[in-house]
């Protein structure tokens, strides 16, 4: 397929509920949609990058910069038959994984249309439906947090993840565990602790957590191995894993027992699949993380989650958890805690051009 045109859209959407993590509170998102045009088809991808460099070093502005100056020029008017060829074309660009993932996902979408296959099937997915969890931000009032959890459980969600940080951890989890003694529960610290907090973190073992996500530094796998040896709860790595090579090293060191796979963080679906395959071969479960993706990015995540080793409910929730209006038709819905994996060609959801245009604050077109 020859890439004839590329559109980059900076799309701004407001969350229905502000989201607080150990590094800050946000109420809107600034993702970059990528449209690739080839053979009369349009492929859609989403770089689920954040406006601020507090989750990783990328921002919406660096994403647009790297795409327009380096990635787009290396793929425009070029012919690609496989994702490997596409990725190789911009292989000199180091990191900037969220930027790359937007282009790479759009190419997968093109391929799925060219091959008349559902994206999940093209990726090697085997599941007809996936189990859905929610990720809930830090709330100043724990009674209110408990009400929110109750609401999500009533909607059928299969797993609750709570954001934690120093001073908002042990007592919050104790109250939540008391209120819900048996629910699948986990905590995500987004790198808020260091090894000096080892004994403090050991208190979390009392709450029967499914796992503790990224307790230590975003660029660490050594201290996580020390901490994992001192905990009974499994550690799950998010920020520390950018590639299948990172995953291999973390597993060799014993830094974690679970991996959160986000296509954006690892540069796309191909690398995500490699991490999935590696973990499957080693008997390590994975689940699909989220970056509050719009419907397009979430459609890609749903397709990826159909792979067999995505055996733990992930952070892919219904559209209404995030946005009053989503960018796809139909929107993503959760029934009895599950999302059906679409069996139709392509994404299985149709991007809604009218709503995309309404939320676009800047568009760049390359022909
Ligand atoms: O650490 O998993 C995280 C959102 C933005 C940045 C980092 C994270 C998250 C989430 C939200 O936890 C998951 C979702 O998309 O629902
Ligand atoms: Mg996380």
């Amino acid at each position: 397929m020859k890439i004839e045109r590329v559109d980059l859209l900076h799309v701004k959407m407001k969350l229905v509920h502000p989201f607080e993590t150990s590094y800050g509170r946000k109420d809107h998102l600034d993702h970059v949609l990528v449209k690739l045009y080839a053979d009369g088809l349009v492929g859609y991808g989403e770089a689920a990058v954040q406006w601020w460099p507090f989750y990783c070093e990328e921002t919406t502005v660096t994403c647009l910069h790297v795409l327009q100056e380096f990635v787009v020029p290396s793929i425009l008017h070029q012919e690609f038959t496989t994702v490997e060829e596409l990725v190789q074309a911009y292989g000199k660009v180091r990191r900037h994984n969220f930027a790359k993932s937007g282009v790479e996902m759009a190419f997968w979408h093109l391929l799925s249309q060219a091959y008349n296959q559902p994206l999940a099937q093209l990726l090697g997915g085997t599941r007809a439906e996936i189990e859905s969890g929610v990720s809930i931000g830090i709330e100043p009032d724990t009674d209110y947090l408990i009400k929110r959890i109750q609401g999500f459980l009533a909607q059928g969600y299969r797993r609750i993840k709570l954001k934690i940080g120093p001073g908002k951890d042990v007592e919050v989890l104790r109250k939540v565990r008391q209120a819900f003694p048996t629910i699948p529960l986990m905590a995500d610290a987004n790198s808020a602790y260091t090894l000096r907090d080892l004994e403090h973190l050991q208190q979390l073992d009392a709450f029967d957590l499914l796992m503790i996500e990224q307790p230590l530094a975003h660029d660490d796998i050594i201290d996580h191995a020390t901490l994992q040896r001192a905990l009974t709860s499994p550690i799950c790595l998010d920020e520390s894993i950018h590639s299948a090579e990172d995953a291999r090293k973390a597993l060799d060191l014993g830094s974690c027992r679970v991996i959160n796979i986000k296509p954006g963080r690892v540069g796309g679906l191909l690398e995500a699949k490699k991490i999935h395959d590696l973990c499957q071969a080693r008997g390590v479960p994975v689940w699909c993380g989220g970056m509050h993706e719009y419907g397009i990015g979430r459609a890609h995540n749903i397709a990826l989650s159909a792979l067999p080793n995505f055996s733990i409910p992930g952070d892919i929730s219904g559209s209404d958890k995030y946005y009053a209006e989503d960018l796809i038709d139909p929107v993503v819905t959760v029934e009895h805690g599950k999302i059906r994996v679409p069996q139709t060609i392509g994404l299985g959801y149709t991007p809604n051009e009218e709503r995309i245009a309404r939320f676009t604050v800047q568009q760049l077109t390359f022909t």
Side-chain angles (χ1 to χ4, degrees), residues 55 161 163 188 190 213-214 238-239 260 262 315:
Y55 168 77
K161 163 169 140 182
K163 293 287 178 176
D188 185 357
N190 290 107
E213 185 174 340
Q214 196 72 36
D238 173 353
E239 282 90 330
N260 160 341
K262 294 177 180 173
D315 280 350

Side-chain angles (χ1 to χ4, degrees), residues 108 117-125 269-270 273 300 303-304 307:
W108 277 102
Q117 274 189 37
L119 178 59
Q121 190 184 318
L122 185 64
L123 287 165
L269 296 167
L270 184 65
K273 231 169 100 65
H300 284 276
L304 177 69
L307 271 69

Side-chain angles (χ1 to χ4, degrees), residues 192-204:
Y193 302 94
T194 71
L195 269 192
R196 284 190 298 279
D197 303 308
L198 189 143
E199 284 174 23
H200 179 73
L201 290 169
Q202 281 178 320
Q203 295 180 75
L204 303 183

Side-chain angles (χ1 to χ4, degrees), residues 272-289:
K273 231 169 100 65
K274 285 185 190 164
I275 298 174
H276 165 276
D277 294 350
L278 169 88
C279 289
Q280 186 172 33
R282 296 198 177 197
V284 173
V286 302
W287 53 278
C288 187

Side-chain angles (χ1 to χ4, degrees), residues 33 44-46 105 293-301 326-328 347 351-352 356:
L33 295 186
Y44 285 80
E46 175 175 337
M105 287 174 176
E293 281 83 355
Y294 306 158
I296 289 162
R298 224 159 333 109
H300 284 276
N301 288 353
D326 206 344
L327 304 182
I328 49 170
L347 287 180
N352 182 304
I356 292 173

